[in-house]
């Protein structure tokens, strides 16, 4: 059966599936990203995020299903990719050439006259300063990543796809990349950001897609996903014993340690009132100091992917 695609969306996948040997990396995945969104693609390591991104942009073919970018059904080397900025793999550059010369060679490889339409904005976003005229062999990993971002942006794309752009960077470089994503989105550019870093998605994204074991388990605005969390933090005198008590209460989905772990724990309540959970703790002789609802993306995410 042919997958149905909605060409009005910025990004869409319909029934995407991919198997590597005996491993089903992605299994019948459906997802959609509207124009103008900054959408985080979230999932634990091994959830299928990178495989999904690679299929979406035509780097690998799906076994089944289809995808579309900016209304165009995707296939390798599709012309629509000229409207898409990609930072999907670690960017590779000629080390003995300057950053600017590397950008120039990349652009001219497509047969277009120099300079590209978005060069000034891309260089500004990369925030490399005078280093853009230095040889890349002297760049730090973060500087290479930012040069890769400039390379993805210099043609003034309508859609930017980023796969773990801050992976392995120090806090200062991570902050620079996240600030750049905000600058990109402020221009109305659609951004799809694949990440396993919850703080990153919560800080820069308007929407999120959560995948686990190669399937979509939740989607919506970040605010809605956070609001849907049923997580409650308990401060008790014995967190270890309290965790055992709560796990025995019907309707408690998961229990994990809070901070500090010896006094706090977080429980995901589904269909059970906080008062009932407190009653079970008190009945077991556990002193309950505070009970506070949690509204963080981390709590919603962990509940969705069943990580404890």
């Amino acid at each position: 059966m042919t997958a149905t695609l909605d060409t009005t969306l910025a990004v869409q996948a319909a029934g995407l599936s991919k198997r590597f040997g005996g491993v089903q990396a992605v299994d019948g995945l459906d997802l959609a990203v509207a124009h103008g969104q900054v959408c985080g693609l979230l999932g634990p390591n091994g959830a299928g995020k990178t495989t999904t991104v690679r299929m979406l942009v035509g780097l690998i073919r799906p076994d089944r299903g289809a995808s579309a970018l900016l209304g165009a059904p995707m296939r390798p080397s599709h012309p629509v990719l000229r409207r898409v900025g990609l930072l999907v793999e670690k960017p590779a550059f000629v080390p003995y050439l300057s950053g600017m010369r590397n950008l120039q060679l990349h652009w001219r490889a497509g047969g277009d006259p120099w300079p590209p339409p978005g060069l000034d904005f891309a260089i500004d976003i990369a925030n490399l300063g005078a280093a853009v005229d230095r040889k890349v062999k002297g760049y730090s990993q973060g500087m290479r990543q930012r040069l890769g971002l400039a390379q993805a942006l210099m043609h003034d794309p309508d859609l930017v796809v980023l796969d773990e752009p801050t992976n392995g960077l120090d806090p200062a470089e991570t902050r620079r990349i996240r600030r750049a994503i905000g600058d990109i989105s402020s221009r109305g550019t659609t951004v799809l950001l694949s990440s396993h870093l919850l703080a990153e998605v919560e800080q820069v994204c308007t929407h999120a897609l959560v995948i686990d074991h190669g399937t979509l388990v939740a989607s919506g605005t970040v605010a809605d996903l956070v609001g849907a969390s049923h997580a409650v933090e308990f401060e008790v005198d014995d967190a270890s014993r309290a965790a055992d008590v709560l796990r025995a209460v019907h309707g408690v989905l998961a229990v994990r340690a809070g901070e500090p772990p010896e006094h706090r724990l977080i429980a995901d309540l589904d269909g059970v009132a906080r008062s009932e959970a407190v009653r079970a703790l008190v009945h077991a002789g556990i002193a309950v100091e505070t009970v506070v609802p949690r509204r963080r993306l981390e709590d919603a995410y962990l509940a969705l992917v069943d990580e404890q």
Side-chain angles (χ1 to χ4, degrees), residues 53-305:
V53 169
R54 289 170 63 84
M55 286 192 288
L56 286 174
V57 302
L59 290 176
I60 57 174
R61 293 183 182 272
D63 297 330
R64 296 186 308 278
S67 64
L69 299 181
L70 301 172
M74 184 46 49
R75 55 180 169 77
S77 302
H78 194 290
V80 77
L81 291 171
R82 295 175 67 84
R83 299 170 54 202
V84 180
L86 301 176
L87 185 56
V88 175
E89 311 227 349
K90 286 186 178 180
F93 301 106
V94 181
Y96 59 84
L97 297 179
S98 70
M100 184 65 81
R101 181 60 175 153
N102 270 278
L103 295 179
Q104 190 176 47
L105 288 177
H106 178 82
W107 179 253
R108 285 184 167 164
D112 297 304
W114 181 263
L119 179 64
D120 290 341
F121 174 73
I123 293 297
D124 184 55
I125 286 293
N127 193 29
L128 289 169
V132 75
D133 294 315
R134 297 207 311 262
K135 292 181 179 180
V136 169
K137 67 179 182 180
Y139 281 18
S140 66
Q141 182 179 347
M143 292 168 70
R144 288 172 182 261
Q145 196 77 343
R146 284 187 280 135
L147 184 62
L149 186 60
Q151 181 173 282
L153 295 174
M154 64 183 178
H155 59 298
D156 199 15
D158 299 310
L159 166 67
V160 178
V161 179
L162 308 172
D163 185 24
E164 303 281 3
T166 61
N167 197 27
L169 303 188
D170 63 34
E173 290 287 6
T174 296
R175 186 162 52 248
R176 290 189 184 99
I177 294 291
R178 290 177 181 170
R179 187 180 299 122
I181 294 171
D183 291 339
I184 296 165
S185 65
S186 69
R187 293 162 57 96
T189 305
T190 305
V191 179
L192 178 61
L193 168 66
S194 171
S195 179
H196 67 279
L197 301 175
L198 301 172
E200 187 162 84
V201 171
E202 195 162 17
Q203 287 176 35
V204 304
C205 293
T206 59
H207 294 69
L209 304 162
V210 183
I211 65 173
D212 192 26
H213 297 98
T215 61
L216 185 71
V217 296
S219 64
T221 67
V222 170
D224 285 345
L225 291 175
V226 171
S229 171
H230 299 287
V232 177
E233 184 174 75
F234 296 86
E235 183 181 1
V236 295
D237 64 342
D238 188 338
S240 177
R241 201 158 63 87
D244 292 335
V245 171
L246 288 174
R247 289 190 181 103
V249 176
H250 180 71
V252 175
L253 299 181
V255 181
R256 55 190 179 277
E259 298 176 1
E262 64 270 18
H263 296 298
R264 298 179 188 273
L265 70 162
I266 301 163
D268 298 317
L269 310 183
D270 184 20
V272 57
R274 293 196 299 272
S275 59
E276 185 176 339
V278 171
R279 188 181 303 113
L281 292 171
V282 172
H283 183 74
I286 296 168
V288 181
E289 298 295 333
T290 60
V291 181
V292 181
R294 301 250 303 191
R295 290 293 183 266
R296 293 171 52 193
L297 184 59
E298 177 184 4
D299 304 308
Y301 169 85
L302 291 176
L304 288 166
V305 301

